Amino acid sequence: MSAIIWITEGTWPACVDAARRRADDTDLVLLHVTDDAVSEAAHGAFAGLLGRGHRERDPGTRLEDLSRDAADRLFAEAERRLGRPARRLALHGRPEQQVVRAAEGADLLVCARDGDRTHLGPRSLGPATRFVIDHAPCPVLLVWPDAAPGLGSLPPRPPHRPEP
């Protein structure tokens, strides 16, 4: 059995804890996806307006370096919390697309709610996580990154609509 643990800043501990508790003999993969849109925009702005002839000052390169360092730290912290070996998979691109592609052939994908976590309901999922859940080609274990809100946070019943 193989399980992919999608680790993102802010929610990764819950995903790692869930995988650790439920996947004893499982081949675990820690997946992190870097969205390169910001660094690409910085490269473009620098090349187009400011940076001709000064390649070493490109802020896009600095953003890429910072992003790579942050991903390495996240992997290290996740491995330490997991307490057992896991493979690292670092991808670049649109996170929701990359996660769905990475989950192909996996037996389980572990991810966390990343939207409004104060209420039960669909808004507890951000757009990327919603896309992943809707398109994942394998079973998904969706965890709350914190304690789940109580049933009192359920939205009220929609108002009755009169028949036309």
Side-chain angles (χ1 to χ4, degrees):
M1 182 170 165
S2 66
I4 295 180
I5 308 166
W6 181 19
I7 56 172
T8 64
E9 293 77 4
T11 61
W12 68 269
C15 296
V16 168
D17 290 347
R20 189 180 62 229
R21 286 191 299 265
R22 293 174 177 85
D24 288 339
D25 297 328
T26 302
D27 176 35
L28 298 176
V29 177
L30 295 168
L31 168 65
H32 182 266
V33 181
T34 301
D35 187 342
D36 295 326
V38 174
S39 61
E40 289 173 4
H43 281 303
F46 184 70
L49 300 173
L50 307 169
R52 293 188 179 130
H54 300 285
R55 190 173 174 85
E56 69 281 351
R57 291 191 233 158
D58 185 346
T61 303
R62 179 72 177 134
L63 286 171
E64 289 171 349
D65 292 343
L66 290 171
S67 178
R68 189 174 24 261
D69 290 345
D72 286 344
R73 282 194 308 274
L74 191 59
F75 276 127
E77 290 179 34
E79 286 173 336
R80 191 172 22 262
R81 190 175 185 109
L82 191 59
R84 58 181 275 206
R87 289 185 294 129
R88 292 180 177 188
L89 181 58
L91 300 176
H92 294 262
R94 290 183 55 191
E96 64 274 21
Q97 296 279 337
Q98 295 299 324
V99 171
V100 169
R101 286 189 175 95
E104 184 175 22
D107 296 304
L108 181 67
L109 171 65
V110 182
C111 60
R113 295 178 182 270
D114 59 352
D116 179 0
R117 292 180 256 168
T118 61
H119 297 86
L120 296 172
R123 292 189 180 164
S124 64
L125 299 173
T129 303
R130 166 57 63 195
F131 182 92
V132 167
I133 290 172
D134 288 345
H135 297 86
C138 66
V140 176
L141 174 60
L142 178 64
V143 299
W144 286 95
D146 313 307
L151 292 178
S153 68
L154 280 171
R157 186 178 180 159
H160 176 71
R161 294 186 186 164
E163 296 288 327

